[in-house]
Amino acid sequence: MTPPGADLTVGDEVVVDVGPVAHGGHCVARHEGRVIFVRHTIPGERVRARITEGGEGDRFLRADAVEILTASEHRVPVRCPVAGPGLCGGCDLQHVSTAHQRVLKAEVVAEQLSRLGRVDREVVVEPLADEDGLRYRTRVEVAVGEGGGSPFVGLRRHRSHDLVPIEDCPIAHPRVGEGIAAAAEDARGRELTGIAAVDVVAASAEEDVVLVEVPADGRTERITVRERVATRAGERELTVDARGFWQVHVDAPRAFVEAVLEAAAIEPGDRVLDLYAGVGLLSLPLAEATGPDGQLIAVESDDLALAHLEANLAAQPQALAVAGRVDDLLGVPRKSRRRDKRSRPPARSHLLPPTADVIVLDPPRTGAGRGVVEALVAMRPRCLVYVACDPAALGRDTGTLGELGYELRGLRALDAFPMTHHVECVATFEPPSGRP
């Protein structure tokens, strides 16, 4: 017997009542027992949803809301002409008031911590300095395409390689907006032949916007830009590759440095680890906080970022930049590594100390993982500060830390990506006594 709703397929439309927000920029709805993740909705709405992915046998379906039958009080007109079903996939929450976006993100963080981390905690997402969620992004990559015989620059549709042409982006910093317009003009003039994408970068310590042309093979000219970060603890200037990783919200570098320094509570003479350090946004102020009698060890695996990290820490004799993957240096076997009875786990690097007073880590979206977390706890830090870009990864690693005796003592959630479902968290973990 075919279960109810099993015959739904791509293109079908159904009327559904929208349930809670879910991690990933959509809300949960059900139709005759089938779970449907519906974009462009708000909990409590009634919508007509068009199936965009999935079919018989799939655990769930994906859909877009193509008609709002009963609207939420928090629904607002979208602030971008290419935001909506079938259009640009960059902004999930353009249709939600900026204040309520933060409420929804807080619900997601709290749910992931409870379900995966077994920690119940009220979460408040803090706004950063932006124009009501607009004009904050200092880096945007636009792809180069051609339609109807006319070249253009654009952004990709949701879960697609297809492009939506643009002349501007409402979440882009005004200087980046000017750069996008210039790239669009270059495309129309056929000056981007052979170019797959253009990175538009407005670095805070540079007068001019940088446009980095990316050929199809990805090999670009290396351009160094300077970023200035002004915090309560002072102003610092760092170098970074124009295409390298840097927090894209114009206010995020300041907010992250201040949040981490407050959470870490570094004391002069401390030994501090900064893992997944990048170019040293956190490493430099952490090194300064340890003082001449302390030690800061920063770990980074990307060669280009490492070169900038070393340069940015050059004036701090108590700081050491270490090249390598965090898991490898800690002696943690990689999950993807094929092993047999003759293989051995990687040896723990002698460059990492056996103990540390404070550990700061900013892992990739997949999180640190059990092996790395266990190795860090074995170093017996009095405080572990975890910067997380993914609530699910934070939830999983929170659960592991709890099993090992480290409690979640502090949490700040920062709205570093307004108009999208992304949220950044700074979580502080300590053993019950303050020292294991």
Side-chain angles (χ1 to χ4, degrees), residues 62-86:
R62 297 182 184 274
D64 285 341
V66 294
E67 182 182 359
I68 310 303
L69 303 176
T70 304
S72 165
E73 62 181 316
H74 304 293
R75 179 170 286 274
V76 298
V78 297
R79 286 147 281 191
C80 175
V82 296

Side-chain angles (χ1 to χ4, degrees), residues 239-258:
T239 64
V240 60
D241 185 76
R243 299 194 72 216
F245 177 78
W246 185 258
Q247 290 293 338
V248 298
H249 193 296
V250 66
D251 191 38
R254 173 207 63 82
F256 277 51
V257 168
E258 292 183 349

